[in-house]
Each structure stands twice: as structure tokens, then as C-alpha cells.
Amino acid sequence: MRVLFVTTEMDDFVRVGGLAAVSAALPRALRRWTDVRVLLPGYSEVVEQFTHIDIVGRSPPLAEMPACSLGLGATKDGLPVYVALCPELYDRPGNPYADESGRDWPDNDIRFARLASVAAELAAGKLDENWAAELVHANDWQAALLPAYLAWNGSKIPSILTIHNLAYQGLFAKDSLRRIGAPADSFHIDGLEFYDKLSFLKGGLNYASHLTTVSETYAREITTPELGCGLEGLLRRRSDAAQLTGILNGIDESWDPSACTQLAQPFGAGDWEGKQANADYIRQQFGLALSRGPLFGLVARLVHQKGIDLVLSATDEIINGGGQIVVTGRGEPEIEQALVAAHRRRPDAIGVAIGFNDAQARRIFAGSDFTLMPSRFEPCGLSQMYAQRFGSLPIGHQTGGLAETITDGETGFLFSQPSTESFVGGLRRAFSAFFAKDRLDAMRRSAMARSFSWSVSAACYGALYRKTVALR
């Protein structure tokens, strides 16, 4: 089956969040039974990493969206990757969505509608004369208009839209409709209209053949007013029609502490001296005092969703209990500043590195005893999976993918409410386990034995692809 996988991040080239890891791993896991090809915007970080790109087609201007060339390259292991080449839209400083100060680009409607419209042309065989898609798989709001453009172009190609985080919807003023070449009659409650704004995500939710999200629990949660972000009615209808599926993400095989070359010292289950060597390294790197107490890691996007304020409110509890905290990530400036301020107050016990580096993240998972994940909601979450594989027991809010991947009291700790009181309850259980060495040993072994292979998830997607094509 020929599948076009459309995304705005991929670990091979550019990363902002977990979407990049999924976009690198899932297409590779699908290659066994599909001719899957990835389409990315032509960010400079993407284009510069190819040794060669063939120009296979050109998309003419559409409404206020500029013309765009389509390039085709491949990753080092041979995965075909198309690139939408339009330097005026994609060759910019900052990250894929925002400028260097973190402000969203004001023309993000045009930038990502252009990606979706190019994807629709490519899928229909109008850009690469040697390839067309039998199914398209769009990811998050940035690619969510792909099913809409297919419909507007009269194409019957079936489509999957994966919701990685419903809170990010791609909302724009009504005049975006004209700018992106959408038909005027698409601006209604069963189209793109969302409280008199244009919603890219809602367009995808309405036009896609089938919807998925990244855990079964989150698939249920987004049909409720609490986590439906105003779209729960639409999502409930699609769920009731068996058109919404939760498929848990996996992690790739490189998350093996006995074979990871980026650690201070590789180790396996039972080699706690090896794990301690990584803890010593992290304490030294972050300038923390020598300690026999537990080390708590926080590797996350530093945004309100992730409950960083709960961590900040619990720092005294952790430090007074003999613990230390190391943090890495980037996100909202006020959260970054609050973490840096906490470090300055207690540099012996709180280490903070603003930014993201994969090797450093791996070393934190390897060196920490516990991983903090007090997310208010968590569609899937990957850090809790990485942490367990590296013997760091996650302390997570019982929501979304955290509820499905952490076995409470066995491979980590779950707490029931996104509140300081509930979180502190989880922390106290973790301290209790840390000072009961036999229990800590057993929990670490159980956590490290967990498998979160992509093969299971990919098989679920493969079955869904075949079913969706058959229905259409």
C-alpha cells in the first residue's frame, strides 16, 4: 500500500516535541508492509541534511499561497522523504512554528495550508509522475487540512488524521479562508468554523476518513468536556461511529541502557553501580552536591500542560527529604525563568539546563532514580517509557498514556489529581520505595523489563490503513 505520511517534525532533521520521535519511528516500522513516504516542510534544518534532493514537481500558487517545488530525498537508511521547498515560508530562524523569541509566525496559516495543499496534490499523483498515494496520514493541526484539500479537489483518497495533542488547534481569523484558497461554504459548523474562527484541526476532524489519537485513554478523554477543548461533541460523534481509535505510541530500540553509547557508563538491570556512575556524572555536570538521596529527573517541554508549576511547588518537599532535581527542556519563557530562579536559590540541589539535547536527556534518565511527569493531561507521553527502560521510575498523573504505561507501585507511581497535594503523595511513596532497597531493586527490574516496541503500534496502524481503504 502506498501511504503518504505528512508531518512538520522528524527526529532525523528537526524536533520540537514528541511528534518528531513518532514521525521518525512509525514510518520506519510501517515499511515492512507499506510503501510509506514522509512529507516535510523545507526548513533549512531539513534541506541542509540531505546530500541530494531531486526536484520532482512544482505546485502553482493558490490564493495567497506562493508556488512551491517538491523535492525527493531519502534518509541514510533509505526512507523516502519529500520536501516542500518554499524558502519564503520555511527557511527562517527559530523553530518550525515560532520565531527566535517564541512568537508564532503571523503567516502560519499560509505556511501549513501550503503544506497540506501540496500533500493533496502529491497524493493525487499531480506532482511526482512516478508516485501517488492510496492513503494519506496527516499529523496534528499543521497537516490537518490535507483531508479537506482532498475533498475540495474532488479526490476520493482516504485519510487518517492523528491527534497528538488536541489543545493545539491552529486557530486563525476568518479571513484566512480567502488566504488559503478554501471554499467559502466550508466555513460552517460541520466544516472549518469554530466560534467564528477558522480551525485547521476541526477541518481535519470533519473531513478525515478516520481519526486516531495516541492512547486509548486519551481517545476517551477527548470526548468529555474536561479535555475535549470545545470539540468533544464532534469527537463523540466520530467515536460513536467507530471512527476514532486510540493507538499507543512506542519508542525505538535505541532506548537500551546496556547498549547506549551516549551514557557515562552503559548498564543493565541489576548493575546498580553502573546506574550510580550515571547519577554521579549528572550531579557533576549540573553542579549538584554529593548526595546519597534520590535524584529526580524532569525532561519535558516546559509548558503549563506538563505541570511544571507542581514541580516548583514541591521542591521544598523533595529537597527536605534529601532529594535533588535535574531539569532539561525548553518552552514558555515564564516557566523557564521560574526554573532558573529555583536553581539560583538552591544550586546545590536543583540543576537546570534550558534547551534540549538528546544525549543529555538520555543521561538524565540513566542517572535519575525517578522521573517527574505531573502533566495535567498527557495524550501519550514518551518520557515515562524512556525512563522505565533506563531504570528511572516515573511519578505521573493518572491520565492519558501515563495511565496505560505506568503500572502503579510496580514500574512507577500514579497519583489521581493534577494538584500539589496529590503530587506530593506520589513523591512520598517514591521516597518510601527509595529507602527500601529490595523494593527499589524489584521496581527497577520490572520497569526495565517493559517493552514499548513500535511493532505492536505499527501493526495496529497497518490494520487500520487496510480497513480504511477497504471502506472507501
Side-chain angles (χ1 to χ4, degrees):
M1 184 184 295
R2 297 183 306 277
V3 176
L4 180 63
F5 187 95
V6 185
T7 181
T8 51
E9 301 176 34
M10 187 178 180
D11 261 348
D12 301 64
F13 308 104
V14 60
R15 177 189 181 98
V16 176
L19 173 60
V22 174
S23 300
L26 178 55
R28 288 179 164 96
L30 289 165
R31 288 179 75 186
R32 281 176 293 177
W33 57 80
T34 62
D35 172 10
V36 59
R37 303 189 178 194
V38 176
L39 171 64
L40 284 164
Y43 313 123
S44 56
E45 303 99 310
V46 174
V47 175
E48 290 165 3
Q49 292 184 61
F50 284 105
T51 54
H52 181 73
I53 295 178
D54 289 316
I55 304 301
V56 296
R58 182 172 172 82
S59 175
L62 174 63
E64 295 185 21
M65 302 190 296
C68 179
S69 296
L70 183 71
L72 175 60
T75 60
K76 292 175 182 175
D77 60 343
L79 177 67
V81 177
Y82 288 103
V83 186
L85 298 168
C86 187
E88 64 191 279
L89 295 183
Y90 306 125
D91 186 4
R92 301 179 181 183
N95 74 35
Y97 318 120
D99 63 21
E100 291 167 300
S101 62
R103 290 188 297 265
D104 286 352
W105 294 109
D107 61 346
N108 272 349
D109 53 345
I110 285 179
R111 297 175 76 230
F112 297 115
R114 178 77 280 200
L115 177 71
S117 62
V118 166
E121 292 178 79
L122 170 60
K126 296 178 181 177
L127 294 182
D128 183 348
E129 63 180 17
N130 296 311
W131 196 83
E134 293 172 83
L135 178 138
V136 297
H137 186 162
N139 292 272
D140 267 353
W141 74 262
Q142 295 90 347
L145 285 189
L146 167 53
Y149 278 109
L150 287 171
W152 299 334
N153 295 345
S155 172
K156 301 297 185 182
I157 298 169
S159 54
I160 305 284
L161 171 64
T162 296
I163 307 157
H164 295 268
N165 191 331
L166 190 68
Y168 298 93
Q169 298 183 14
L171 296 176
F172 300 96
K174 184 178 178 180
D175 70 348
S176 283
L177 205 68
R178 168 182 49 80
R179 287 156 53 86
I180 66 172
D185 62 6
S186 66
F187 194 77
H188 59 84
I189 193 167
D190 294 321
L192 308 184
E193 189 270 335
F194 185 73
Y195 294 99
D196 207 39
K197 289 190 173 183
L198 184 152
S199 168
F200 277 37
L201 185 62
K202 187 178 179 186
L205 299 182
N206 274 312
Y207 285 100
S209 309
H210 196 97
L211 310 176
T212 74
T213 191
V214 288
S215 69
E216 290 181 27
T217 306
Y218 192 61
R220 292 191 299 270
E221 290 175 337
I222 60 176
T223 64
T224 68
E226 291 76 23
L227 290 177
C229 302
L231 295 165
E232 61 272 8
L234 167 56
L235 289 162
R236 198 158 49 245
R237 287 198 302 277
R238 302 237 39 190
S239 179
D240 291 344
Q243 295 169 346
L244 170 61
T245 304
I247 301 176
L248 191 71
N249 286 335
I251 60 175
D252 68 58
E253 300 302 322
S254 71
W255 290 92
D256 177 358
S258 66
C260 183
T261 59
Q262 294 167 308
L263 304 187
Q265 182 176 319
F267 67 99
D271 177 14
W272 308 135
E273 288 184 6
K275 185 164 177 64
Q276 184 61 48
N278 285 281
D280 293 342
Y281 179 86
I282 285 295
R283 284 188 167 98
Q284 182 182 20
Q285 287 290 298
F286 280 82
L288 302 182
L290 291 173
S291 171
R292 293 185 178 181
L295 184 61
F296 294 81
L298 175 62
V299 180
R301 284 186 301 116
L302 305 179
V303 296
H304 179 71
Q305 173 208 333
K306 298 293 184 179
I308 312 300
D309 55 314
L310 301 181
V311 175
L312 288 163
S313 68
T315 52
D316 287 347
E317 179 82 22
I318 292 172
I319 294 169
N320 292 341
Q324 296 171 314
I325 307 167
V326 288
V327 181
T328 190
R330 61 160 52 97
E332 296 164 8
E334 58 273 21
I335 293 177
E336 293 179 356
Q337 292 159 14
L339 286 164
V340 170
H343 157 70
R344 287 174 178 155
R345 284 194 301 273
R346 289 300 303 268
D348 60 319
I350 302 175
V352 176
I354 300 299
F356 184 81
N357 176 284
D358 181 68
Q360 184 180 59
R362 288 170 182 261
R363 290 191 283 267
I364 290 174
F365 288 124
S368 60
D369 299 292
F370 304 101
T371 290
L372 302 172
M373 296 202 67
S375 304
R376 287 179 164 78
F377 64 94
E378 192 60 72
C380 177
L382 297 176
S383 288
Q384 79 280 8
M385 301 187 208
Y386 301 148
Q388 288 172 81
R389 293 287 295 137
F390 278 44
S392 179
L393 305 178
I395 304 168
H397 175 211
Q398 192 165 359
T399 186
L402 301 181
E404 291 181 29
T405 55
I406 300 169
T407 305
D408 186 42
E410 184 179 321
T411 68
F413 303 93
L414 292 170
F415 57 93
S416 59
Q417 299 296 325
S419 66
T420 300
E421 181 182 18
S422 189
F423 178 43
V424 166
L427 291 172
R428 288 174 179 167
R429 294 175 63 207
F431 270 105
S432 176
F434 181 81
F435 291 112
K437 294 302 180 186
D438 287 348
R439 184 172 178 225
L440 182 67
D441 179 43
M443 290 188 70
R444 282 176 171 171
R445 288 177 184 273
S446 293
M448 294 177 76
R450 294 293 302 271
S451 172
F452 300 105
S453 168
W454 266 109
S455 59
V456 175
S457 306
C460 293
Y461 277 108
L464 179 62
Y465 289 175
R466 291 188 292 274
K467 179 181 177 183
T468 305
V469 168
L471 285 172
R472 181 54 63 96

